[in-house]
């Protein structure tokens, strides 16, 4: 099922309501929405609330968790200790609210690439992307490896702050984004530096669809959303040509975003099934040569933790050390300090997980 709404390119839907028969998108959404269905065997999350007295230090100042959540206009917040929901709160929203993911979607796209690679649909990450997408053969993407796209090191001339609004405006005007991708030009040597480029993620979503023969959103539904045990239907943004955006625009509940983090906490396994290859989870969360804080479409901490991050303060944080997952959603947009978010999440994980680790050791 797909719906489309047209508005300004700079503001997308913060939340949406989805049922098996209808999709309601607020009038602030620019993309078409493809609906994906939930799992028939949702991963159970058990309510096990704990009192959290968390403080952290950022830029020489001590802050509380409550201050951080209020200051960053957090609308949905879920903390998992394994499958136990130890903290959950909503402001101006509820457990059923579908939040706009923004760039958290990039980590889902990475997972889809990893699954397609594991299935043999993609032969190697070192293959040039135009081997699979011939429309890019005369663009700046010609000869660029899939690996360099995942590392945000494609060499495309790109300014994220100004080019993403243009990209979304193109989708809003009904222009297929594959045409826009084919017009990108080379700005520097691929692999030589890090440059955050949302167009790379769109190309990767196109790659998934082309190599699998399945639309991007449907592949995500069949290979990630349902096997990972997501509880609710969700929406995935696409363009007028039927291509998934890949770089943004998943509309899902905070609990289901947390389930995605739980999938990666467990090495890509869910319900006794290997959903994402374990080797891909490990490779995705390994530092890239040009940016030690970035893997394959995942942001990395310095202690083995990692997170998906989106505009306005959307996060899915995973701490393998403490076995903790945090999902944070907002309705407002902005540019919160990602390093402060990491500090706050680490403090929460330590507060929750250190006792669990002691219990396990005992």
């Amino acid at each position: 099922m797909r719906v489309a709404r047209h508005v300004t390119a700079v503001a997308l839907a913060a939340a949406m309501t989805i049922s098996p028969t209808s999709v309601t998108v607020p009038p602030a959404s620019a993309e078409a929405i493809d609906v994906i269905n939930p799992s028939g065997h949702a991963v159970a999350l058990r309510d096990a609330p704990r009192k959290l007295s968390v403080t952290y230090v950022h830029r020489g100042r001590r802050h509380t968790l409550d201050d951080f959540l209020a200051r960053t206009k957090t609308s949905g917040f879920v903390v998992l200790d394994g499958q136990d929901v130890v903290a959950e709160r909503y402001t101006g929203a509820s457990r059923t609210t579908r939040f706009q993911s923004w760039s958290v979607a990039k980590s889902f796209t990475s997972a889809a690439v990893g699954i397609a690679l594991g299935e043999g649909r993609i032969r190697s990450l070192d293959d040039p992307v135009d081997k699979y997408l011939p429309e890019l053969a005369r663009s700046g993407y010609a000869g660029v490896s899939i690996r360099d796209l995942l590392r945000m090191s494609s060499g495309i001339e790109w300014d994220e702050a100004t080019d993403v609004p243009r990209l979304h405006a193109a989708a809003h005007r009904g222009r297929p984004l594959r045409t826009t991708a084919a017009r990108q030009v080379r700005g520097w040597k691929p692999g030589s530096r890090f440059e955050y480029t949302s167009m790379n993620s769109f190309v990767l979503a196109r790659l998934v669809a082309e190599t699998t023969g399945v639309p991007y959103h449907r592949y995500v539904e069949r290979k990630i959303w349902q096997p990972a045990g997501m509880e609710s239907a969700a929406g995935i943004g696409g363009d007028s040509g039927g291509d998934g955006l890949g770089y943004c625009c998943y509309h899902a509940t905070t609990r289901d975003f947390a389930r995605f983090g739980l999938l990666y906490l467990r090495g890509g396994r869910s319900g006794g099934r290997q959903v994402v290859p374990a080797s891909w989870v490990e490779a995705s969360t390994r530092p890239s040569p040009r940016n030690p804080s970035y893997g394959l479409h995942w942001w990395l901490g310095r202690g083995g933790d990692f997170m998906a991050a989106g505009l306005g303060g959307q996060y899915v944080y995973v701490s393998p050390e403490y076995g903790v997952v945090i999902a944070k959603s907002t309705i407002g947009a902005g540019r919160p300090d990602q390093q402060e978010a990491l500090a706050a999440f680490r403090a929460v994980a330590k507060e929750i997980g250190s006792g669990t680790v002691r219990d396990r050791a005992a």
Side-chain angles (χ1 to χ4, degrees), residues 257-299:
F257 283 129
R259 285 182 173 93
F260 182 57
L262 185 62
L263 176 69
Y264 266 66
L265 176 67
R266 293 177 167 172
R269 292 185 65 82
S270 180
R273 173 181 178 180
Q274 194 70 45
V275 178
V276 181
S279 59
W280 184 258
V281 173
E282 196 278 330
S284 299
T285 55
R286 184 188 307 147
S288 301
R290 301 302 176 189
N291 187 347
S293 297
Y294 202 76
L296 303 181
H297 273 40
W298 284 88
W299 292 97

Side-chain angles (χ1 to χ4, degrees), residues 198-218:
S198 284
M199 180 58 83
N200 293 344
S201 307
F202 170 77
V203 171
L204 290 169
R206 273 278 303 129
L207 175 71
V208 168
E210 187 68 22
T211 57
T212 64
V214 179
Y216 170 79
H217 71 279
R218 199 59 65 205

Side-chain angles (χ1 to χ4, degrees), residues 1-2 33-38 208-209 212-227 234 236 242 244 250:
M1 180 187 302
R2 164 172 279 220
I33 303 293
D34 290 300
V35 179
I36 60 174
N37 296 306
V208 168
T212 64
V214 179
Y216 170 79
H217 71 279
R218 199 59 65 205
Y219 191 75
V220 169
E221 176 190 66
R222 295 174 184 174
K223 300 295 183 176
I224 301 174
W225 204 257
Q226 292 180 344
I236 297 180
Y250 277 58

Side-chain angles (χ1 to χ4, degrees), residues 295-317:
L296 303 181
H297 273 40
W298 284 88
W299 292 97
L300 312 182
R302 298 297 176 93
D305 49 354
F306 53 92
M307 64 185 183
L311 176 71
Q314 322 293 336
Y315 295 104
V316 176
Y317 169 84

Side-chain angles (χ1 to χ4, degrees), residues 129-130 133-142 144 149 154 156-158 163 166-167 170-171 175-186 197-207 239 243-245 247:
V129 69
D130 55 311
L133 301 176
E135 73 261 24
L136 301 178
R138 295 188 178 183
S139 75
Y141 280 110
V144 178
L149 269 71
S154 66
I156 294 303
E157 188 175 293
W158 187 266
D163 287 337
R166 294 192 187 106
L167 186 66
R175 180 183 301 168
L177 294 191
R178 66 174 71 180
T179 302
T180 307
R183 293 175 178 171
Q184 298 306 302
V185 299
R186 180 73 53 80
T197 303
S198 284
M199 180 58 83
N200 293 344
S201 307
F202 170 77
V203 171
L204 290 169
R206 273 278 303 129
L207 175 71
D239 70 2
D243 288 322
L245 299 181
Y247 62 86

